[in-house]
Amino acid sequence: MKKYRHFETNAIRTQIKTTHEKEHASPMYLTSSFVFDDAEEMRATFAEEIDRNTYSRFTNPNTTEFIDKMCALEGAEAGYATATGMAAVFSTFATLLNAGDHMLSCRSIFGSSHSVITKFLPKYQIESSYLDLDDTSSWQDKVKPNTKLLFLETPTNPGIELIDLEFAGAFAKKNNLILIVDNCFATPYLQLPIEYGADLVIHSATKYLDGQGRVMGGIVVGRADLIKEIYTFSRSTGPALSPFNAWILSKSLETLAIRMDKHGENALKLAEWLEANEHVEWVRYPFLPSHPQYEIAKKQMKSGGGMVCFGIKGGAERGKKFLNSVEMCSLTANLGDTRTIVTHPTSTTHARLTDDERTATGISPNLIRISAGLEHIEDIISDLKQAFERSK
């Protein structure tokens, strides 16, 4: 498939072949299976002597198009699409880790990823250790003879912390570790982990890749040899993305660049407004000069993305009153939507963590996470302004 020079063109022009109908947009292939011409073709296909669609749990033209686009955008060799982002995370871990293995992860990660690592992987005798982002000199001490992979989020969820991907890539290479980066917040438009040495990149496609809160999906892309293993595992265990959702996601990618530009523009203006707000203790946004990893953000990201977090004065109770006071902004578990979303992670997305675990990952009781949408920035600020006043 032809690779174009620019991101936007690859996102729009990477398509499966047209049918005899000569359609301009790719059709939906809402079928569970595909027909063979004869018994020999069927035998050869199942023996993997020829490559063609057989069953939509294995491959489907719509899923293939979505994967091909994401590989082109991330600079990856191959990929596999899943029903959700967490299906991509778990399938990757379950494929690459065996009983007796050890993995490393940054401490600040999505709540469900934390649950998989700390509650479910130990059932299979897989150990893990968390790394502190503000003390990379301690990382080497956490490496064991049986350490196999390094899992990172950057920017992190929900604290918007950053990891130097150049350092992480060199660290993984030095220790012969598989480097896996969750690139959900940045998307391939803003950040390319593979360029810094990542072996695999994971996305919850439910977020910015869809961008409108319509469908769920996940994807992992990267080295062809590792993706082949993940595909083999997933082909039998069944976390496949539905063809309809794949069609939606592939179409959504056509507008990813222009959407991320606007998300970033709104988020930066919002972060600057929050930083000057009397009701706010602190603000964290990658492209604010006050961000502790501002220089890292400028080095590896095109813009700061659409996620902002801040500490509201008055603690957790004030935070709940603030959420109850918003009128236009949405209270929902999603992010990366066209609509601005406000979340209180302590009582929602990271509620299953203990108080100590939240403290260790930088999730304070007064932390508010905002997914800046595509509404006019003055309307977003107006809603938050009245919510601050009503929650005093």
Side-chain angles (χ1 to χ4, degrees):
M1 190 166 291
K2 184 175 181 179
K3 179 81 179 287
Y4 295 92
R5 180 180 177 186
H6 295 286
F7 183 98
E8 295 88 341
T9 309
N10 282 310
I12 293 169
R13 290 293 176 178
T14 302
Q15 292 181 283
I16 53 176
K17 292 181 179 180
T18 58
T19 72
H20 66 280
E21 299 290 350
K22 301 299 181 182
E23 65 280 347
H24 190 217
S26 300
M28 286 184 280
Y29 289 85
L30 304 185
T31 180
S32 59
S33 60
F34 300 84
V35 177
F36 300 94
D37 289 335
D38 53 44
E40 175 54 26
E41 184 186 34
M42 191 173 188
R43 181 208 64 78
T45 300
F46 276 85
E48 297 185 347
E49 295 172 4
I50 60 175
D51 184 18
R52 56 152 291 172
N53 294 305
T54 60
Y55 192 62
S56 285
R57 175 159 52 88
F58 303 165
T59 59
N60 176 280
N62 295 129
T63 307
T64 297
E65 180 177 288
F66 172 55
I67 292 169
D68 287 345
K69 282 190 180 183
M70 284 300 296
C71 287
L73 301 183
E74 286 281 6
E77 295 174 351
Y80 183 76
T82 57
T84 66
M86 285 312 304
V89 170
F90 179 74
S91 296
T92 299
F93 289 166
T95 299
L96 301 179
L97 294 169
N98 299 311
D101 284 342
H102 173 254
M103 67 168 285
L104 297 172
S105 170
C106 60
R107 190 179 298 277
S108 183
I109 54 175
F110 179 51
S112 293
S113 297
H114 170 79
S115 294
V116 168
I117 291 171
T118 60
K119 293 180 172 61
F120 299 118
L121 293 186
K123 293 172 62 176
Y124 310 109
Q125 291 78 53
I126 296 170
E127 301 177 320
S128 63
S129 298
Y130 279 140
L131 302 171
D132 293 315
L133 302 186
D134 56 357
D135 184 17
T136 55
S137 63
S138 67
W139 285 22
Q140 192 61 49
D141 295 335
K142 299 291 181 70
V143 179
K144 301 180 180 182
N146 60 333
T147 305
K148 191 170 184 181
L149 65 81
L150 170 61
F151 176 67
L152 304 174
E153 284 184 14
T154 183
T156 63
N157 183 7
I160 323 295
E161 298 169 291
L162 303 178
I163 300 168
D164 188 333
L165 288 172
E166 184 176 17
F167 170 83
F171 177 83
K173 184 176 181 181
K174 173 186 174 183
N175 292 282
N176 195 30
L177 305 177
I178 299 170
L179 175 57
I180 305 169
V181 177
D182 185 327
N183 202 27
C184 179
F185 273 19
T187 80
Y189 182 60
L190 302 184
Q191 179 174 268
L192 294 170
I194 290 174
E195 288 189 352
Y196 294 94
D199 299 292
L200 295 171
V201 176
I202 287 179
H203 288 272
S204 171
T206 312
K207 311 304 190 293
Y208 286 109
L209 301 189
D210 172 33
Q212 297 179 59
R214 298 169 298 184
V215 299
M216 302 181 74
I219 191 167
V220 52
V221 300
R223 279 172 40 190
D225 60 328
L226 298 178
I227 294 297
K228 175 63 175 176
E229 293 183 47
I230 294 168
Y231 168 77
T232 301
F233 173 85
S234 300
R235 174 177 165 138
S236 295
T237 56
L241 180 65
S242 80
F244 177 75
N245 287 13
W247 184 84
I248 291 285
L249 291 168
S250 183
K251 298 301 292 180
S252 296
L253 288 177
E254 296 181 9
T255 61
L256 179 62
I258 196 167
R259 287 188 284 108
M260 293 309 297
D261 281 338
K262 186 60 177 179
H263 281 301
E265 177 187 329
N266 277 354
L268 179 57
K269 290 178 180 178
L270 179 60
E272 291 171 340
W273 177 78
L274 287 168
E275 201 165 41
N277 192 293
E278 63 179 341
H279 301 286
V280 173
E281 289 186 355
W282 53 265
V283 181
R284 197 169 295 135
Y285 181 70
F287 269 41
L288 276 184
S290 59
H291 193 290
Q293 292 99 32
Y294 174 70
E295 294 302 325
I296 294 174
K298 298 288 282 187
K299 178 178 71 171
Q300 66 191 33
M301 297 180 69
K302 183 176 180 179
S303 80
M307 303 300 299
V308 182
C309 70
F310 67 93
I312 189 169
K313 291 181 179 178
E317 288 306 311
R318 174 80 188 281
K320 292 178 183 178
K321 290 180 181 178
F322 175 79
L323 263 66
N324 287 335
S325 299
V326 298
E327 295 176 346
M328 181 192 76
C329 298
S330 303
L331 305 185
T332 180
N334 199 22
L335 61 91
D337 202 306
T338 54
R339 292 153 289 195
T340 297
I341 295 169
V342 184
T343 309
H344 182 234
T346 294
S347 61
T348 57
T349 57
H350 291 71
R352 293 185 181 276
L353 275 66
T354 66
D355 291 341
D356 289 342
E357 287 172 335
R358 282 193 293 269
T359 299
T361 56
I363 304 173
S364 57
N366 69 339
L367 188 152
I368 304 294
R369 188 189 74 184
I370 298 182
S371 173
L374 304 183
E375 306 97 338
H376 196 286
I377 186 60
E378 291 181 6
D379 291 325
I380 299 173
I381 289 176
S382 178
D383 190 29
L384 298 183
K385 184 177 180 179
Q386 66 83 26
F388 278 126
E389 291 299 321
R390 290 174 57 190
S391 64
K392 287 193 297 187

